[in-house]
Amino acid sequence: HGRWMDDANFAPLPFTTLYQRSLYQSMRSLVSLVCDDLRRYRADLPEGVRADAQTLLDGELRLLERLRSITVGKIDAVRIRCHGDYHLAQVLDTGDELVIFDFEAESERPVLERRLKRAALEDVAAMLRSLHAATVVARQNSTTDGTRQVAAREQQACFWTRWVGAAFLRTYLTTVGQAPFVPPAQEQRTVLLDVLLIEKVMQQIDGDLREHPERLPTALHHLAQVLGG
């Protein structure tokens, strides 16, 4: 413990108002980039996706205001080296325990960026996004007939995502206890996790626009769920 704390590469760094403002500016740039691309390619999107995209565009200012909450008051926590690419595919069930692997962060990021100290809740937000994605895969692999069955599947998926996400978050907070990388105040935890989750979903929308447009409806739907509470 003492050895890695003395290593500058791993020693925690405190949140600062400057870091929080830079975090907001980064998110603001991401939102602007995504919205500009949606406006540019909106006419080429399928009709259903076009409506969801327009909902995001109409709420762009409200979304930015919600992200701005990260700059209101100093976050009482430290930043640490995180996993950086935490999702269900990085967790292996050996039968006796769960093993987390592949701590190389997202491969498309430069190495220097991967080594930056970040909010630990960034990994939590990434897992919550992954849990939502799991329900999408499950629905795609299931065979249903009729609108009523599809609607029932949607309700079941929403319930599962919220229940499992809440269980994961509750267990995480209980396990870390008073660790300095999690704000002790619930209000600060809520604000930080909220903006980080929005960022993760916006990154997914950005990637889908460029590489996997067929996945765009799912990402837009997830954003709508996040913004809805």
Side-chain angles (χ1 to χ4, degrees):
H1 174 74
R3 184 174 300 174
W4 69 262
M5 284 289 287
D6 294 335
D7 187 337
N9 290 315
F10 294 95
L13 293 176
F15 270 78
T16 63
T17 53
L18 178 61
Y19 174 76
Q20 290 171 227
R21 286 198 297 270
S22 68
L23 193 61
Y24 166 68
Q25 291 300 333
S26 175
M27 294 178 179
R28 180 177 180 177
S29 298
L30 175 62
V31 170
S32 297
L33 175 65
V34 169
C35 288
D36 286 347
D37 285 344
L38 283 175
R39 291 187 185 94
R40 186 177 301 113
Y41 301 115
R42 179 175 47 188
D44 298 327
L45 297 174
E47 184 175 352
V49 180
R50 200 180 312 148
D52 290 336
Q54 188 61 50
T55 299
L56 171 56
L57 294 175
D58 292 340
E60 181 179 1
L61 293 179
R62 293 191 300 274
L63 176 58
L64 290 175
E65 190 61 31
R66 183 157 166 178
L67 292 173
R68 193 190 301 273
S69 62
I70 193 63
T71 66
V72 180
K74 183 178 176 297
I75 299 293
D76 298 320
V78 297
R79 296 176 282 136
I80 62 174
R81 289 280 292 273
C82 299
H83 186 287
D85 190 23
Y86 192 43
H87 52 80
L88 289 171
Q90 309 286 37
V91 182
L92 176 65
D93 184 358
T94 67
D96 297 322
E97 60 181 353
L98 296 177
V99 178
I100 301 171
F101 58 96
D102 197 2
F103 286 80
E104 300 175 0
E106 296 177 350
S107 58
E108 65 271 16
R109 288 183 177 182
V111 173
L112 290 178
E113 185 177 343
R114 297 189 223 175
R115 297 179 64 185
L116 292 176
K117 280 60 175 286
R118 302 178 181 277
L121 291 182
E122 182 174 317
D123 281 345
V124 175
M127 180 55 72
L128 292 175
R129 180 171 64 87
S130 183
L131 291 171
H132 176 271
T135 66
V136 175
V137 174
R139 293 201 305 273
Q140 291 174 344
N141 292 338
S142 66
T143 56
T144 57
D145 297 317
T147 303
R148 181 174 299 179
Q149 285 184 302
V150 171
R153 290 280 187 181
E154 178 69 23
Q155 290 180 346
Q156 292 169 356
C158 183
F159 174 80
W160 186 91
T161 302
R162 290 180 179 273
W163 189 90
V164 174
F168 168 73
L169 181 58
R170 181 173 58 251
T171 304
Y172 175 87
L173 293 175
T174 300
T175 302
V176 301
Q178 301 299 315
F181 50 78
V182 175
Q186 180 177 344
E187 181 178 358
Q188 289 188 5
R189 292 197 302 264
T190 301
V191 168
L192 183 57
L193 183 58
D194 183 53
V195 298
L196 290 173
L197 186 54
I198 292 174
E199 179 188 40
K200 288 297 180 185
V201 181
M202 291 299 295
Q203 289 172 345
Q204 184 67 52
I205 294 174
D206 181 46
D208 290 347
L209 271 169
R210 301 174 189 279
E211 300 178 10
H212 300 286
E214 73 280 1
R215 301 178 186 174
L216 193 57
T218 299
L220 288 169
H221 179 262
H222 192 193
L223 180 63
Q225 287 188 331
V226 172
L227 295 180

